[in-house]
Amino acid sequence: MLTRRAALCGSLAFSLAGGGARAAPEGFALYVADQDGKRILVIDMGRDEVADALALPSGPAALALAPDGGTVYASMPETGEIAVLDLATGKLQAPIYVGGEPFGLAATADEILAGDWSGAALRRVRRADGERIGEIAVGRAPALLLLDASRRRLYVVERDDAAVGVVDLEAMKRVAGIGVGEGPFPIAASPDGAQVFVASVRGGTVSVLDAASLTRIGEIACGPTPYGLAAAPDGAALLVVSQQGGTLSRVPTGRLEKTRAIRVGRYPEGVVVAPHLPKAYVMNWFSGDVSVIDLQSFEEVRRFRTGGGPRAGLCAKART
């Protein structure tokens, strides 16, 4: 597992829900993994400011939301644990020990799946009691995970193999691998799930995968070190974060070419589209802040300080 001091690495979580210029539903919040600060930050999406900070035993890398929307999970690679945040109470529960270096996460109705960065495996944990129930062999350095619940499928970004593994969640085994660009990391899906996008950090490209045929059908040149991806709610564009460039680009999915890039903070990583608001959030790792992007004008309209090193985020119902 890489850290800021070792090499360029990042984390992503994203929301594909909603769209349109309506007020955000009451109770929605942005949850951010602050790896350097060893915290989960709770962002008030109405005020665009930090509402709370929950201390963790070690730095979180990636986040996942339970299907029922009631729990946020955060991987903690340094301690081999998964943090558990109950959104109904707003309190952290006892962490789940999975061993290895858990990085990317996904949650089904029954299980948590954690990619072991150093173990070429997905570790399976029962959600009800946190008991380990097995593992699935995958490619080297499994990074971020993407759940396709409708197809009972999990996509695994296999960074050191330049591939995306496909895990059948009924059989609980890897059934396919799709070659992509060198050093893949962030992954996102179109709102209808028909296409999957995977960015190559070393190659500066985004591969377009067809979910039905499990083949690579296109490639987008997107600039240096793309470390974050999200799809616009209408599916017409991708948002691509360039870590070294310090920019967020908009890429129309119909043309597969970058059309505009705007400046954000230093070493940005995750990008999250807000539900029911025409804006997105970019987590800026090195500058310790979050950029707020107006998706209609495609401009940074605010940047607020968080401290630490925010890297990943997801939107979910806020605690009551």
Side-chain angles (χ1 to χ4, degrees), residues 4 11 30-37 39 41 43 48-50 241 243 246-247 263-272 280-293 300 302-313:
R4 176 188 288 190
S11 180
L30 176 67
Y31 296 86
V32 173
D34 173 7
Q35 189 170 39
D36 292 354
R39 305 175 296 175
L41 303 175
I43 307 299
D48 288 334
E49 61 184 27
V50 177
V241 172
Q243 190 192 65
T247 61
R263 299 292 303 181
V264 288
R266 294 180 57 229
Y267 275 58
E269 293 215 352
V271 54
V272 177
Y281 296 85
V282 177
M283 276 56 72
N284 301 312
W285 184 20
F286 273 25
S287 53
D289 49 33
V290 173
S291 295
V292 183
I293 311 300
E300 183 190 57
R302 177 173 166 79
R303 192 184 302 177
F304 60 92
R305 182 76 178 162
T306 62
R311 304 185 72 175

Side-chain angles (χ1 to χ4, degrees), residues 64-74 82-88 93-98 105-114 123-134 147 152 172:
L65 181 66
D68 61 9
T71 309
V72 169
Y73 300 101
I82 298 172
V84 181
L85 174 58
D86 183 337
L87 298 189
Q93 309 300 303
I96 299 169
Y97 180 77
V98 295
L105 293 177
T108 69
D110 302 315
E111 296 186 19
I112 307 166
L113 297 110
R123 301 196 173 208
R124 298 173 56 202
V125 175
R126 191 159 49 220
R127 284 187 57 207
D129 56 13
E131 181 178 346
R132 277 190 58 184
I133 53 177
L147 179 67
R152 292 291 293 161
M172 284 297 175

Side-chain angles (χ1 to χ4, degrees), residues 73-273:
Y73 300 101
S75 60
M76 297 186 290
E78 293 180 358
T79 59
E81 295 174 307
I82 298 172
V84 181
L85 174 58
D86 183 337
L87 298 189
T89 63
K91 294 182 179 180
L92 290 164
Q93 309 300 303
I96 299 169
Y97 180 77
V98 295
E101 291 182 284
F103 200 91
L105 293 177
T108 69
D110 302 315
E111 296 186 19
I112 307 166
L113 297 110
D116 182 355
W117 185 280
S118 58
L122 295 177
R123 301 196 173 208
R124 298 173 56 202
V125 175
R126 191 159 49 220
R127 284 187 57 207
D129 56 13
E131 181 178 346
R132 277 190 58 184
I133 53 177
E135 62 181 47
I136 304 166
V138 293
R140 294 179 299 161
L144 298 182
L145 312 180
L146 177 66
L147 179 67
D148 184 342
S150 65
R151 293 181 173 89
R152 292 291 293 161
R153 177 188 294 169
L154 184 72
Y155 297 99
V156 182
V157 179
E158 299 167 345
R159 181 166 173 136
D160 286 354
D161 290 337
V164 173
V166 183
V167 172
D168 182 324
L169 293 177
E170 295 293 341
M172 284 297 175
K173 68 177 182 178
R174 185 184 187 274
V175 295
I178 309 167
V180 294
E182 185 181 0
F185 191 79
I187 185 168
S190 59
D192 62 5
Q195 293 183 330
V196 175
F197 308 98
V198 185
S200 164
V201 175
R202 299 190 189 105
T205 60
V206 175
S207 294
V208 184
L209 312 181
D210 179 74
S213 63
L214 296 179
T215 58
R216 183 181 180 187
I217 59 174
E219 186 177 85
I220 306 164
C222 62
T225 56
Y227 258 88
L229 289 178
D234 61 3
L238 275 179
L239 303 179
V240 185
V241 172
S242 171
Q243 190 192 65
Q244 289 187 353
T247 61
L248 177 70
S249 297
R250 182 170 56 193
V251 178
T253 51
R255 298 205 320 236
L256 300 184
E257 61 182 21
K258 183 172 69 175
T259 59
R260 187 178 176 192
I262 57 174
R263 299 292 303 181
V264 288
R266 294 180 57 229
Y267 275 58
E269 293 215 352
V271 54
V272 177
V273 176

